[in-house]
């Protein structure tokens, strides 16, 4: 499958990884919107939260816990961070492989635009 995040998970294209385990990879976003802007992906291809099935519950939990690991690795676990799953066009999803944005390192505004 020609999926850029599958290729990052397999190590076929480079990424600045901050944390990984057998199920999840966390790396720096190419176009950061905060001092810390990481992406956390499952190694297995799932399109987005809308495409997740009951059989993906474990994978979804692994991604959320991966966000905590990534935030700790980037030094924002205590100061705070935001986790965002953009899903489909109105949310601005551009890469159709489930990913969590982990944003931190400054006071984030609310609500998001
Ligand atoms: P979204 O718009 O929610 O689908 O988020 C996709 C994110 O992936 C964007 O913030 C992009 O900057 C980021 N991105 C795309 N390609 C790469 C890449 N090769 N390495 C790191 N981040 C990427
Ligand atoms: Zn993929």
């Amino acid at each position: 499958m020609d999926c850029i995040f599958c290729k990052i998970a397999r190590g076929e294209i480079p990424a600045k990884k901050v944390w990984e385990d057998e199920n999840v990879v966390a790396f720096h976003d190419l176009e950061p919107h905060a001092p810390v802007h990481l992406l956390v992906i499952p190694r297995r291809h799932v399109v987005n939260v809308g495409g997740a099935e009951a059989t993906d519950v474990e994978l979804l939990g692994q991604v959320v816990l991966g966000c905590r690991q990534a935030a700790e690795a980037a030094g924002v676990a205590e100061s705070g961070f935001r986790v965002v799953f953009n899903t489909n066009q109105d949310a601005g999803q551009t890469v159709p492989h489930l990913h969590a944005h982990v944003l931190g390192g400054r006071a984030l505004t609310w609500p998001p635009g």
Side-chain angles (χ1 to χ4, degrees):
M1 190 192 303
D2 193 28
C3 168
I4 190 167
F5 285 179
C6 281
K7 289 181 178 172
I8 287 175
R10 292 195 296 259
E12 293 171 7
I13 61 172
K16 284 173 61 184
K17 292 179 184 172
V18 296
W19 183 85
E20 63 185 312
D21 69 6
E22 66 270 33
N23 301 305
V24 173
V25 183
F27 53 96
H28 288 275
D29 196 294
L30 269 186
E31 295 180 38
H33 291 293
V36 172
H37 186 173
L38 308 172
L39 298 172
V40 180
I41 64 169
R43 292 187 187 275
R44 179 158 66 78
H45 185 90
V46 171
V47 171
N48 55 33
V49 171
E53 312 271 0
T55 50
D56 298 320
V57 164
E58 193 173 5
L59 173 148
L60 294 169
Q62 289 162 346
V63 170
V64 173
L65 289 177
C67 291
R68 172 169 63 75
Q69 298 283 0
E72 285 177 3
V76 296
E78 289 297 320
S79 52
F81 59 95
R82 183 171 293 163
V83 176
V84 175
F85 291 89
N86 290 328
T87 302
N88 291 340
Q89 61 269 28
D90 275 2
Q93 184 179 9
T94 57
V95 178
H97 178 127
L98 187 140
H99 52 279
H101 296 258
V102 174
L103 299 147
R106 65 169 166 80
L108 300 165
T109 57
W110 187 265

